[in-house]
Amino acid sequence: MTPAESERAPAATKGDSKVLNEAQAGHEPIGGADASASLSAKFAKDSAATRALAKEKLFNGDSVVELREAIRAKLVYALGKTPESARDRDWFAATALALRDRVIDACHEGTGGKVPEKRVYYLSLEFLIGRLLSDAMNNLRLVETTKLALKDLGVQLSEVEEAEPDAALGNGGLGRLAACFMESMASLSIPAIGYGIRYDHGIFRQSMEDGWQREAPETWLEEGNPWEFPRPESTYRIGFGGHVTMSANGDQIRRHWHPAETVNAVAYDIPVVGWRGKHVNQLRLWKAEADAPVELARFNGGDHVGAVAGRARAESISRVLYPSDSSAEGQELRLRQEYFFTSASLQDLVRRHLNERGDLRSLPDHAAIQLNDTHPAIAVPELMRILMEEHDFSYEDAWHITTNTLGYTNHTLLPEALETWPVDLMERLLPRHMQIIYLINWTHLEEQARQGKSDSAHVAAVSLIDESHGKRVRMGHLAFHGSRRVNGVSALHSELLKTTVFKPMHELEPDKILNKTNGITFRRWLHNANPELTALAVETVGEEVLDDPELLTGLADHADDPDFRKRYAAVRRVRKRKLAQVIVERTGISVDPSALFDVQIKRIHEYKRQLLNLIETVALYQAIKEAPHKDWTPRVKIFGGKAAPSYVQAKLIIKLANDIARTINDDADVAGRLKLVFLPNYSVSLAEAIIPAADLSEQISTAGMEASGTGNMKLALNGALTVGTLDGANIEIRDHVGADNIFIFGLDAVGVQARVGESAYAQRAIAASPRLAKALDAIGSGVFSPDERGRFGSLVDGVRYHDPYLISVDFDDYWRVQREIDAAWKRPATWWRAAILNTARMAWFSSDRSMREYAAEIWRVKVD
Ligand code: 26W
């Protein structure tokens, strides 16, 4: 935002608290607290009206009775409970089962049993889908019907919704993206199957113990999962280890893999219903089961424990999600998970293709397999193995089929996140695959030699095997080479792929890398998460906005209407009150809903720079204490996110946030101006509560390091203004919402690259910034950790002496833009105008747009 948009800030004189209150009044709902309560009721009515307007399919008295009886029958006959004894969790299961029936009806109506021309197979080790009830109700247009049916049974829908555990089968961005894509493909009627793992335990539950992160196992399946269908008839054998033999048939040599160990992959399907129930896809998750649950001979021989040891080993494959989303830890169990789900998925889709079409030669015409990062990259040799070993294809034909069926999406450039597997581990666990990888690599390097490119530097750069520190398979190179198209997830990221990690590969095939900027599903992140804002949009631009987000643009015409601004601001106010309640319930901290809610929610990682935000918080705290009577803009800094359990520095950052919170929240000198809250156990459902209540969205990664970001899109769509670097999709968000409606600061990716080449940049930056030096001194000397003064020494020294994430270099500009934001908040008319323009101009970031682009340019699937 530029100061040019000047609108005079209400004059606030030092020490005049009455004036300060008036300045804030622009952020109050019309009429204050009472009016806000009645507004809440009005919105509830509005959204009912909106939904009725939007023609809920079965919205009439009969269908309420019908659904009520269906829910009652599920409770009694499927769950064996009585309405009197049922807990919310039972009502949830009964409601989910009743709705699942309707999803299945929609599925049968939609496809009519026809074999689709082409299917998308989305292979992902993570699907962070969250709760499914509101998605299902909304997409079936049964929200009001369900609410009334439950009311008749004496139950409140909101309580039932709260009783659903999150399906948290993912770490962060990559897993949530897969969930948004699944919803969008169903809504666009793109025939698709998502393939992943049915983890018993999703991402760990985070709690705080004296400000430190503690992890506890997550138990979403404890009481079963009413959405899923077990499909024991779709079970595949997955081999590990063993040896390879050869046989000759004329001049044809064939190889046969004899695994030492096999594990069964059993399918569980979760239906994914699209918008208005027109189409239903499946999410097929694999559970690992032992071949023989008990080794009988051992059991009968008296070794009762040893007899079930094999079972425990086999089943450990789908036991738990790896909680690291930024460093490849290289553990054997992880490789077993990757191969397990990839092999099961490929066997399943090959079998389906053969049933439907009879001949695997036509696989590329009828199947597009998308690899979500390199986690399923073993698909390249596995599909080759299936084709050559089980279906007698020649190497050349198998390669043609493979490379015309696979696509690969890259989600990170961080070197520590790029997967490589030691060759000796691969040889031990997947001996046949290692042979095939060598064969692919040999063919690949022969082709280079044929083109006269056999100098050792070139060969080392394009080889699928990295020999620089022991021999390791580069999974990124393997996925790149085995795919028809490779894509990055934002414009900047896709360009950086071409100039950094994949530069040598890109030069060989310059048309292979495409950009497909990420998106989010508006059904979940606007319609379901923010029904009040949705009601306002429907009322303003018409109910068609539910089908076509481009119509949100029409809101821009009202951005200068003071009345509309008030209504838009009142919606935010309702959500901020709700969030304030969540905050006090979960942390005991009470916050003022009229303060600016400044939100940073995402995984805790050094490159995302929560530490920059915390240092700025300390500097602000110090500035307020020095001039307590200045007209500071009241702020609540809200943080949420999990740290990988083994990531020491990230866990220390959480502790720092909590230590700062304890100090400043109790300090009367800053009361009413500054608070800090760390909300524990960030999750999809907590995000749904935070995002509609956010005024400011922190997207402050070191430029060049955040591949895209998708939280940035959710927050901007809901009208939070972004403070961000020119990184990932922030750049495209700026292009859409307009440079006047976003706060950009700091070095860009080129600037970062130049600066890291210099020496002592951190020392110089700190010497030039007394404010930064003072904040670092406070943290480093134990002002926030009097019980252990040296606790944060390593964090502070990291910034002072090394600072690979350039916190020191970007600090002053960050401080500058934050003060600009303080000033902008005092001009409510301008603030709300910018917020409205954000909502109005974010339509392009719908994952429907992303999916249409993938369909047209990568998968070659028709979308009506
Ligand atoms: C092997 C360990 C590991 C696990 C997961 C390394 C890296 C990952 C993911 C690729 C990390 C991830 O989630 N990346 C995020 O993907 C989002 C969706 O494209 C982007 O929006 C985020 O910017 C990116 O960090």
Side-chain angles (χ1 to χ4, degrees), residues 116-123 182 185 190-195 345-346 349 352-353 362-372 379 383 401-408 483-485 851 854-862:
E117 180 57 23
K118 193 168 190 177
R119 270 197 204 86
V120 174
Y121 295 104
Y122 199 83
L123 269 62
M182 287 304 296
M185 285 191 279
I190 297 174
I193 297 179
Y195 281 122
S345 309
L346 292 179
L349 71 89
R352 182 176 304 103
H353 182 84
S362 64
L363 189 69
D365 300 331
H366 304 292
I369 302 172
Q370 193 65 25
L371 309 178
N372 200 22
L383 187 52
I401 294 170
T402 299
T403 52
N404 279 288
T405 307
L406 298 179
Y408 156 51
S483 294
R484 200 177 67 83
R485 291 286 181 265
M851 289 294 84
Y854 275 81
E857 294 160 46
I858 299 181
W859 302 329
R860 300 184 288 190
V861 185
K862 271 212 211 73

Short mmCIF file of all heavy atoms in Angstrom, two decimals, residues 116-123 182 185 190-195 345-346 349 352-353 362-372 379 383 401-408 483-485 851 854-862:
data_model
loop_
_atom_site.label_atom_id
_atom_site.label_comp_id
_atom_site.label_asym_id
_atom_site.label_seq_id
_atom_site.Cartn_x
_atom_site.Cartn_y
_atom_site.Cartn_z
N PRO A 116 -14.70 -43.82 -18.06
CA PRO A 116 -14.26 -42.51 -18.56
C PRO A 116 -13.15 -42.66 -19.61
O PRO A 116 -12.39 -43.63 -19.59
CB PRO A 116 -13.74 -41.81 -17.31
CG PRO A 116 -13.45 -42.87 -16.33
CD PRO A 116 -14.31 -44.05 -16.67
N GLU A 117 -13.06 -41.69 -20.49
CA GLU A 117 -12.06 -41.71 -21.55
C GLU A 117 -10.64 -41.69 -20.95
O GLU A 117 -9.76 -42.42 -21.39
CB GLU A 117 -12.29 -40.49 -22.46
CG GLU A 117 -11.34 -40.35 -23.63
CD GLU A 117 -11.30 -41.56 -24.57
OE1 GLU A 117 -12.30 -42.34 -24.59
OE2 GLU A 117 -10.27 -41.73 -25.25
N LYS A 118 -10.45 -40.83 -19.96
CA LYS A 118 -9.13 -40.76 -19.33
C LYS A 118 -9.27 -40.43 -17.85
O LYS A 118 -10.11 -39.63 -17.48
CB LYS A 118 -8.29 -39.67 -20.03
CG LYS A 118 -6.81 -39.73 -19.69
CD LYS A 118 -6.00 -38.84 -20.62
CE LYS A 118 -4.50 -39.08 -20.44
NZ LYS A 118 -3.69 -38.29 -21.37
N ARG A 119 -8.45 -41.09 -17.05
CA ARG A 119 -8.48 -40.83 -15.61
C ARG A 119 -7.17 -40.23 -15.15
O ARG A 119 -6.10 -40.56 -15.66
CB ARG A 119 -8.65 -42.14 -14.83
CG ARG A 119 -10.07 -42.53 -14.57
CD ARG A 119 -10.12 -43.58 -13.45
NE ARG A 119 -11.35 -44.33 -13.59
CZ ARG A 119 -11.50 -45.40 -14.35
NH1 ARG A 119 -10.49 -45.89 -15.04
NH2 ARG A 119 -12.67 -45.99 -14.42
N VAL A 120 -7.28 -39.38 -14.13
CA VAL A 120 -6.10 -38.85 -13.47
C VAL A 120 -5.84 -39.68 -12.22
O VAL A 120 -6.76 -39.97 -11.46
CB VAL A 120 -6.31 -37.37 -13.07
CG1 VAL A 120 -5.14 -36.85 -12.24
CG2 VAL A 120 -6.53 -36.52 -14.32
N TYR A 121 -4.59 -40.07 -12.03
CA TYR A 121 -4.19 -40.75 -10.80
C TYR A 121 -3.23 -39.84 -10.06
O TYR A 121 -2.15 -39.54 -10.58
CB TYR A 121 -3.54 -42.10 -11.12
CG TYR A 121 -4.51 -43.07 -11.77
CD1 TYR A 121 -4.47 -43.33 -13.13
CD2 TYR A 121 -5.48 -43.71 -11.00
CE1 TYR A 121 -5.36 -44.21 -13.72
CE2 TYR A 121 -6.38 -44.60 -11.58
CZ TYR A 121 -6.32 -44.84 -12.93
OH TYR A 121 -7.20 -45.71 -13.51
N TYR A 122 -3.64 -39.37 -8.91
CA TYR A 122 -2.82 -38.40 -8.16
C TYR A 122 -2.15 -39.13 -7.01
O TYR A 122 -2.79 -39.50 -6.02
CB TYR A 122 -3.72 -37.26 -7.65
CG TYR A 122 -2.94 -36.03 -7.28
CD1 TYR A 122 -2.57 -35.09 -8.26
CD2 TYR A 122 -2.56 -35.78 -5.97
CE1 TYR A 122 -1.84 -33.97 -7.92
CE2 TYR A 122 -1.82 -34.64 -5.64
CZ TYR A 122 -1.47 -33.75 -6.62
OH TYR A 122 -0.74 -32.62 -6.31
N LEU A 123 -0.85 -39.39 -7.16
CA LEU A 123 -0.10 -40.15 -6.16
C LEU A 123 0.55 -39.20 -5.15
O LEU A 123 1.39 -38.37 -5.53
CB LEU A 123 1.00 -40.99 -6.83
CG LEU A 123 0.59 -42.42 -7.24
CD1 LEU A 123 -0.52 -42.39 -8.28
CD2 LEU A 123 1.80 -43.18 -7.79
N MET A 182 -8.08 -32.63 -4.99
CA MET A 182 -9.08 -33.71 -5.05
C MET A 182 -10.49 -33.11 -5.08
O MET A 182 -11.34 -33.54 -5.85
CB MET A 182 -8.96 -34.64 -3.83
CG MET A 182 -7.76 -35.58 -3.84
SD MET A 182 -7.62 -36.64 -5.29
CE MET A 182 -9.09 -37.64 -5.13
N MET A 185 -11.06 -31.46 -8.52
CA MET A 185 -11.26 -32.42 -9.62
C MET A 185 -12.67 -32.99 -9.57
O MET A 185 -13.33 -33.14 -10.61
CB MET A 185 -10.21 -33.53 -9.57
CG MET A 185 -8.84 -33.04 -10.05
SD MET A 185 -7.66 -34.38 -10.28
CE MET A 185 -7.08 -34.65 -8.63
N ILE A 190 -13.63 -34.09 -13.26
CA ILE A 190 -12.45 -34.75 -13.84
C ILE A 190 -12.35 -36.12 -13.19
O ILE A 190 -12.20 -36.21 -11.97
CB ILE A 190 -11.16 -33.95 -13.56
CG1 ILE A 190 -11.22 -32.57 -14.22
CG2 ILE A 190 -9.93 -34.73 -14.02
CD1 ILE A 190 -10.04 -31.66 -13.86
N PRO A 191 -12.46 -37.21 -13.95
CA PRO A 191 -12.39 -38.53 -13.33
C PRO A 191 -11.01 -38.73 -12.71
O PRO A 191 -10.00 -38.62 -13.41
CB PRO A 191 -12.60 -39.49 -14.50
CG PRO A 191 -13.17 -38.65 -15.61
CD PRO A 191 -12.63 -37.27 -15.41
N ALA A 192 -10.97 -38.97 -11.42
CA ALA A 192 -9.67 -39.04 -10.75
C ALA A 192 -9.71 -39.97 -9.56
O ALA A 192 -10.75 -40.13 -8.91
CB ALA A 192 -9.25 -37.64 -10.28
N ILE A 193 -8.57 -40.59 -9.29
CA ILE A 193 -8.40 -41.34 -8.06
C ILE A 193 -7.16 -40.81 -7.37
O ILE A 193 -6.10 -40.69 -7.99
CB ILE A 193 -8.25 -42.85 -8.34
CG1 ILE A 193 -9.54 -43.39 -8.98
CG2 ILE A 193 -7.92 -43.61 -7.05
CD1 ILE A 193 -9.50 -44.87 -9.32
N GLY A 194 -7.31 -40.44 -6.12
CA GLY A 194 -6.14 -40.06 -5.32
C GLY A 194 -5.63 -41.30 -4.63
O GLY A 194 -6.42 -42.08 -4.10
N TYR A 195 -4.31 -41.50 -4.65
CA TYR A 195 -3.73 -42.68 -3.99
C TYR A 195 -2.77 -42.23 -2.89
O TYR A 195 -1.89 -41.39 -3.13
CB TYR A 195 -2.91 -43.50 -4.99
CG TYR A 195 -3.71 -44.39 -5.91
CD1 TYR A 195 -3.62 -44.25 -7.30
CD2 TYR A 195 -4.51 -45.42 -5.40
CE1 TYR A 195 -4.31 -45.10 -8.16
CE2 TYR A 195 -5.21 -46.28 -6.26
CZ TYR A 195 -5.10 -46.12 -7.63
OH TYR A 195 -5.77 -46.96 -8.47
N SER A 345 -0.55 -48.69 -5.89
CA SER A 345 -1.34 -47.81 -6.76
C SER A 345 -1.13 -48.19 -8.23
O SER A 345 -2.09 -48.26 -9.01
CB SER A 345 -0.94 -46.35 -6.53
OG SER A 345 -0.97 -46.05 -5.15
N LEU A 346 0.12 -48.45 -8.62
CA LEU A 346 0.39 -48.80 -10.02
C LEU A 346 -0.23 -50.17 -10.36
O LEU A 346 -0.82 -50.33 -11.43
CB LEU A 346 1.89 -48.80 -10.30
CG LEU A 346 2.57 -47.42 -10.27
CD1 LEU A 346 4.06 -47.56 -10.55
CD2 LEU A 346 1.95 -46.45 -11.28
N LEU A 349 -3.97 -49.54 -10.85
CA LEU A 349 -4.39 -48.83 -12.06
C LEU A 349 -4.08 -49.65 -13.31
O LEU A 349 -4.82 -49.56 -14.31
CB LEU A 349 -3.81 -47.41 -12.10
CG LEU A 349 -2.33 -47.18 -12.34
CD1 LEU A 349 -2.02 -47.07 -13.82
CD2 LEU A 349 -1.88 -45.90 -11.64
N ARG A 352 -6.93 -52.10 -13.50
CA ARG A 352 -8.15 -51.43 -13.97
C ARG A 352 -8.06 -51.19 -15.47
O ARG A 352 -9.01 -51.43 -16.23
CB ARG A 352 -8.35 -50.11 -13.21
CG ARG A 352 -9.64 -49.38 -13.62
CD ARG A 352 -9.90 -48.13 -12.80
NE ARG A 352 -9.94 -48.38 -11.38
CZ ARG A 352 -8.96 -48.10 -10.53
NH1 ARG A 352 -7.86 -47.51 -10.96
NH2 ARG A 352 -9.08 -48.38 -9.25
N HIS A 353 -6.90 -50.72 -15.92
CA HIS A 353 -6.74 -50.44 -17.36
C HIS A 353 -6.91 -51.71 -18.19
O HIS A 353 -7.57 -51.71 -19.24
CB HIS A 353 -5.37 -49.81 -17.63
CG HIS A 353 -5.17 -49.45 -19.07
ND1 HIS A 353 -5.63 -48.28 -19.62
CD2 HIS A 353 -4.60 -50.14 -20.09
CE1 HIS A 353 -5.34 -48.26 -20.91
NE2 HIS A 353 -4.71 -49.38 -21.22
N SER A 362 -2.04 -48.78 -24.66
CA SER A 362 -2.85 -47.55 -24.70
C SER A 362 -2.92 -46.85 -23.34
O SER A 362 -3.70 -45.91 -23.18
CB SER A 362 -4.27 -47.89 -25.17
OG SER A 362 -4.91 -48.75 -24.22
N LEU A 363 -2.08 -47.27 -22.39
CA LEU A 363 -2.12 -46.63 -21.06
C LEU A 363 -2.01 -45.10 -21.12
O LEU A 363 -2.81 -44.40 -20.49
CB LEU A 363 -1.03 -47.23 -20.15
CG LEU A 363 -1.10 -46.81 -18.67
CD1 LEU A 363 -2.32 -47.39 -17.98
CD2 LEU A 363 0.17 -47.20 -17.92
N PRO A 364 -1.06 -44.56 -21.90
CA PRO A 364 -0.92 -43.09 -21.91
C PRO A 364 -2.17 -42.37 -22.43
O PRO A 364 -2.37 -41.19 -22.11
CB PRO A 364 0.26 -42.83 -22.86
CG PRO A 364 1.01 -44.13 -22.92
CD PRO A 364 0.00 -45.21 -22.71
N ASP A 365 -2.99 -43.06 -23.22
CA ASP A 365 -4.20 -42.41 -23.74
C ASP A 365 -5.30 -42.33 -22.69
O ASP A 365 -6.21 -41.50 -22.80
CB ASP A 365 -4.77 -43.19 -24.94
CG ASP A 365 -3.77 -43.27 -26.07
OD1 ASP A 365 -2.94 -42.33 -26.16
OD2 ASP A 365 -3.78 -44.27 -26.82
N HIS A 366 -5.23 -43.21 -21.70
CA HIS A 366 -6.35 -43.31 -20.77
C HIS A 366 -5.98 -43.06 -19.32
O HIS A 366 -6.85 -43.13 -18.44
CB HIS A 366 -7.01 -44.69 -20.91
CG HIS A 366 -7.45 -44.97 -22.31
ND1 HIS A 366 -8.49 -44.27 -22.91
CD2 HIS A 366 -6.98 -45.81 -23.26
CE1 HIS A 366 -8.64 -44.70 -24.16
NE2 HIS A 366 -7.73 -45.63 -24.40
N ALA A 367 -4.71 -42.84 -19.08
CA ALA A 367 -4.28 -42.60 -17.69
C ALA A 367 -3.22 -41.51 -17.65
O ALA A 367 -2.29 -41.50 -18.46
CB ALA A 367 -3.71 -43.89 -17.09
N ALA A 368 -3.38 -40.58 -16.71
CA ALA A 368 -2.34 -39.58 -16.44
C ALA A 368 -1.99 -39.75 -14.96
O ALA A 368 -2.85 -39.62 -14.10
CB ALA A 368 -2.85 -38.18 -16.71
N ILE A 369 -0.73 -40.09 -14.71
CA ILE A 369 -0.30 -40.33 -13.33
C ILE A 369 0.54 -39.15 -12.87
O ILE A 369 1.56 -38.84 -13.48
CB ILE A 369 0.54 -41.62 -13.23
CG1 ILE A 369 -0.25 -42.82 -13.75
CG2 ILE A 369 1.01 -41.85 -11.79
CD1 ILE A 369 0.58 -44.11 -13.86
N GLN A 370 0.08 -38.47 -11.82
CA GLN A 370 0.81 -37.30 -11.34
C GLN A 370 1.55 -37.64 -10.06
O GLN A 370 0.95 -38.16 -9.11
CB GLN A 370 -0.18 -36.13 -11.11
CG GLN A 370 0.49 -34.79 -10.92
CD GLN A 370 1.24 -34.32 -12.17
OE1 GLN A 370 0.90 -34.72 -13.29
NE2 GLN A 370 2.26 -33.50 -11.99
N LEU A 371 2.86 -37.35 -10.03
CA LEU A 371 3.67 -37.63 -8.84
C LEU A 371 3.76 -36.37 -8.00
O LEU A 371 4.31 -35.34 -8.45
CB LEU A 371 5.08 -38.07 -9.26
CG LEU A 371 5.16 -39.21 -10.30
CD1 LEU A 371 6.63 -39.50 -10.65
CD2 LEU A 371 4.47 -40.48 -9.77
N ASN A 372 3.20 -36.40 -6.80
CA ASN A 372 3.22 -35.23 -5.93
C ASN A 372 4.56 -35.19 -5.19
O ASN A 372 4.74 -35.84 -4.17
CB ASN A 372 2.05 -35.29 -4.94
CG ASN A 372 1.72 -33.92 -4.35
OD1 ASN A 372 2.07 -32.89 -4.94
ND2 ASN A 372 1.07 -33.90 -3.20
N ALA A 379 7.94 -44.74 -8.83
CA ALA A 379 6.99 -45.13 -9.88
C ALA A 379 7.69 -45.33 -11.23
O ALA A 379 7.25 -46.15 -12.04
CB ALA A 379 5.88 -44.09 -10.04
N LEU A 383 6.92 -48.88 -12.72
CA LEU A 383 6.07 -49.06 -13.90
C LEU A 383 6.86 -49.80 -14.99
O LEU A 383 6.34 -50.70 -15.67
CB LEU A 383 5.55 -47.71 -14.40
CG LEU A 383 4.51 -47.74 -15.53
CD1 LEU A 383 3.34 -48.66 -15.21
CD2 LEU A 383 3.98 -46.33 -15.83
N ILE A 401 5.83 -45.93 -22.87
CA ILE A 401 4.57 -45.88 -22.10
C ILE A 401 4.77 -45.10 -20.80
O ILE A 401 3.98 -44.21 -20.46
CB ILE A 401 4.09 -47.33 -21.79
CG1 ILE A 401 3.70 -48.03 -23.09
CG2 ILE A 401 2.92 -47.31 -20.80
CD1 ILE A 401 3.44 -49.53 -22.93
N THR A 402 5.86 -45.40 -20.10
CA THR A 402 6.12 -44.74 -18.80
C THR A 402 6.21 -43.23 -18.97
O THR A 402 5.54 -42.46 -18.28
CB THR A 402 7.43 -45.29 -18.19
OG1 THR A 402 7.26 -46.70 -17.98
CG2 THR A 402 7.75 -44.63 -16.87
N THR A 403 7.04 -42.80 -19.90
CA THR A 403 7.32 -41.36 -20.02
C THR A 403 6.18 -40.60 -20.71
O THR A 403 6.24 -39.38 -20.81
CB THR A 403 8.63 -41.10 -20.79
OG1 THR A 403 8.56 -41.82 -22.03
CG2 THR A 403 9.82 -41.58 -19.99
N ASN A 404 5.18 -41.31 -21.17
CA ASN A 404 4.01 -40.61 -21.69
C ASN A 404 2.83 -40.66 -20.73
O ASN A 404 1.74 -40.18 -21.05
CB ASN A 404 3.62 -41.15 -23.06
CG ASN A 404 4.49 -40.55 -24.13
OD1 ASN A 404 4.35 -39.37 -24.47
ND2 ASN A 404 5.46 -41.32 -24.61
N THR A 405 3.05 -41.28 -19.58
CA THR A 405 1.97 -41.40 -18.60
C THR A 405 2.25 -40.58 -17.34
O THR A 405 1.33 -40.09 -16.70
CB THR A 405 1.78 -42.89 -18.21
OG1 THR A 405 1.61 -43.65 -19.41
CG2 THR A 405 0.56 -43.10 -17.34
N LEU A 406 3.54 -40.43 -16.99
CA LEU A 406 3.88 -39.78 -15.73
C LEU A 406 4.07 -38.28 -15.87
O LEU A 406 4.54 -37.78 -16.89
CB LEU A 406 5.17 -40.39 -15.16
CG LEU A 406 5.17 -41.87 -14.81
CD1 LEU A 406 6.54 -42.28 -14.27
CD2 LEU A 406 4.10 -42.20 -13.78
N GLY A 407 3.72 -37.57 -14.81
CA GLY A 407 4.03 -36.15 -14.66
C GLY A 407 4.56 -35.95 -13.25
O GLY A 407 4.23 -36.72 -12.35
N TYR A 408 5.41 -34.95 -13.06
CA TYR A 408 6.04 -34.74 -11.75
C TYR A 408 5.93 -33.28 -11.33
O TYR A 408 6.26 -32.38 -12.10
CB TYR A 408 7.50 -35.20 -11.84
CG TYR A 408 8.48 -34.60 -10.85
CD1 TYR A 408 8.23 -34.58 -9.49
CD2 TYR A 408 9.69 -34.06 -11.29
CE1 TYR A 408 9.14 -34.02 -8.59
CE2 TYR A 408 10.61 -33.50 -10.41
CZ TYR A 408 10.32 -33.48 -9.06
OH TYR A 408 11.23 -32.93 -8.19
N SER A 483 9.32 -38.43 -16.64
CA SER A 483 8.01 -37.79 -16.80
C SER A 483 7.92 -37.04 -18.13
O SER A 483 8.92 -36.59 -18.68
CB SER A 483 7.78 -36.78 -15.67
OG SER A 483 7.68 -37.46 -14.45
N ARG A 484 6.67 -36.89 -18.58
CA ARG A 484 6.47 -36.12 -19.82
C ARG A 484 6.53 -34.62 -19.54
O ARG A 484 7.02 -33.84 -20.33
CB ARG A 484 5.11 -36.47 -20.43
CG ARG A 484 4.98 -36.12 -21.92
CD ARG A 484 3.63 -36.56 -22.47
NE ARG A 484 2.55 -35.78 -21.87
CZ ARG A 484 2.17 -34.58 -22.28
NH1 ARG A 484 2.77 -34.00 -23.31
NH2 ARG A 484 1.19 -33.95 -21.65
N ARG A 485 5.98 -34.23 -18.40
CA ARG A 485 6.01 -32.83 -17.99
C ARG A 485 6.41 -32.73 -16.52
O ARG A 485 6.06 -33.61 -15.72
CB ARG A 485 4.62 -32.19 -18.14
CG ARG A 485 4.16 -32.00 -19.58
CD ARG A 485 4.90 -30.84 -20.24
NE ARG A 485 4.45 -30.63 -21.61
CZ ARG A 485 5.06 -31.16 -22.68
NH1 ARG A 485 6.13 -31.91 -22.54
NH2 ARG A 485 4.59 -30.92 -23.89
N MET A 851 -6.57 -26.81 -11.60
CA MET A 851 -6.91 -28.13 -12.15
C MET A 851 -7.24 -28.05 -13.64
O MET A 851 -6.91 -28.96 -14.40
CB MET A 851 -8.06 -28.75 -11.37
CG MET A 851 -7.67 -29.20 -9.96
SD MET A 851 -6.46 -30.57 -9.92
CE MET A 851 -4.89 -29.74 -10.08
N TYR A 854 -3.82 -27.97 -15.33
CA TYR A 854 -3.18 -29.29 -15.35
C TYR A 854 -3.88 -30.17 -16.39
O TYR A 854 -3.23 -30.89 -17.16
CB TYR A 854 -3.30 -29.99 -13.98
CG TYR A 854 -2.25 -29.66 -12.94
CD1 TYR A 854 -2.36 -28.49 -12.18
CD2 TYR A 854 -1.20 -30.52 -12.66
CE1 TYR A 854 -1.43 -28.20 -11.18
CE2 TYR A 854 -0.26 -30.23 -11.67
CZ TYR A 854 -0.38 -29.06 -10.93
OH TYR A 854 0.53 -28.79 -9.94
N ALA A 855 -5.23 -30.12 -16.39
CA ALA A 855 -5.99 -30.98 -17.30
C ALA A 855 -5.63 -30.69 -18.75
O ALA A 855 -5.41 -31.60 -19.55
CB ALA A 855 -7.49 -30.80 -17.06
N ALA A 856 -5.53 -29.39 -19.09
CA ALA A 856 -5.29 -29.02 -20.48
C ALA A 856 -3.83 -29.25 -20.88
O ALA A 856 -3.54 -29.76 -21.96
CB ALA A 856 -5.67 -27.55 -20.70
N GLU A 857 -2.90 -28.87 -20.00
CA GLU A 857 -1.51 -28.81 -20.45
C GLU A 857 -0.63 -29.95 -19.97
O GLU A 857 0.44 -30.17 -20.51
CB GLU A 857 -0.90 -27.47 -20.01
CG GLU A 857 -1.56 -26.27 -20.70
CD GLU A 857 -1.32 -24.98 -19.95
OE1 GLU A 857 -0.18 -24.74 -19.55
OE2 GLU A 857 -2.30 -24.21 -19.75
N ILE A 858 -1.07 -30.68 -18.96
CA ILE A 858 -0.24 -31.79 -18.48
C ILE A 858 -0.94 -33.12 -18.75
O ILE A 858 -0.37 -34.03 -19.35
CB ILE A 858 0.10 -31.63 -16.98
CG1 ILE A 858 0.90 -30.34 -16.77
CG2 ILE A 858 0.88 -32.85 -16.47
CD1 ILE A 858 1.32 -30.07 -15.33
N TRP A 859 -2.19 -33.22 -18.32
CA TRP A 859 -2.87 -34.52 -18.38
C TRP A 859 -3.56 -34.77 -19.72
O TRP A 859 -3.87 -35.90 -20.04
CB TRP A 859 -3.89 -34.63 -17.24
CG TRP A 859 -3.27 -34.46 -15.89
CD1 TRP A 859 -1.99 -34.81 -15.54
CD2 TRP A 859 -3.87 -33.88 -14.71
NE1 TRP A 859 -1.78 -34.50 -14.20
CE2 TRP A 859 -2.91 -33.93 -13.67
CE3 TRP A 859 -5.13 -33.33 -14.42
CZ2 TRP A 859 -3.16 -33.45 -12.39
CZ3 TRP A 859 -5.39 -32.87 -13.14
CH2 TRP A 859 -4.41 -32.93 -12.14
N ARG A 860 -3.86 -33.71 -20.44
CA ARG A 860 -4.63 -33.83 -21.69
C ARG A 860 -5.94 -34.57 -21.46
O ARG A 860 -6.25 -35.58 -22.11
CB ARG A 860 -3.76 -34.49 -22.79
CG ARG A 860 -2.50 -33.64 -23.05
CD ARG A 860 -1.65 -34.16 -24.16
NE ARG A 860 -0.93 -35.36 -23.80
CZ ARG A 860 0.04 -35.90 -24.54
NH1 ARG A 860 0.37 -35.35 -25.69
NH2 ARG A 860 0.65 -36.99 -24.15
N VAL A 861 -6.66 -34.08 -20.46
CA VAL A 861 -8.00 -34.60 -20.13
C VAL A 861 -8.99 -33.49 -20.44
O VAL A 861 -8.74 -32.33 -20.13
CB VAL A 861 -8.13 -34.91 -18.61
CG1 VAL A 861 -9.46 -35.55 -18.29
CG2 VAL A 861 -6.99 -35.78 -18.13
N LYS A 862 -10.11 -33.88 -21.05
CA LYS A 862 -11.13 -32.87 -21.36
C LYS A 862 -11.91 -32.48 -20.11
O LYS A 862 -12.27 -33.33 -19.30
CB LYS A 862 -12.12 -33.44 -22.38
CG LYS A 862 -11.71 -33.20 -23.82
CD LYS A 862 -12.97 -33.04 -24.69
CE LYS A 862 -12.70 -33.55 -26.09
NZ LYS A 862 -12.62 -35.01 -26.20
#
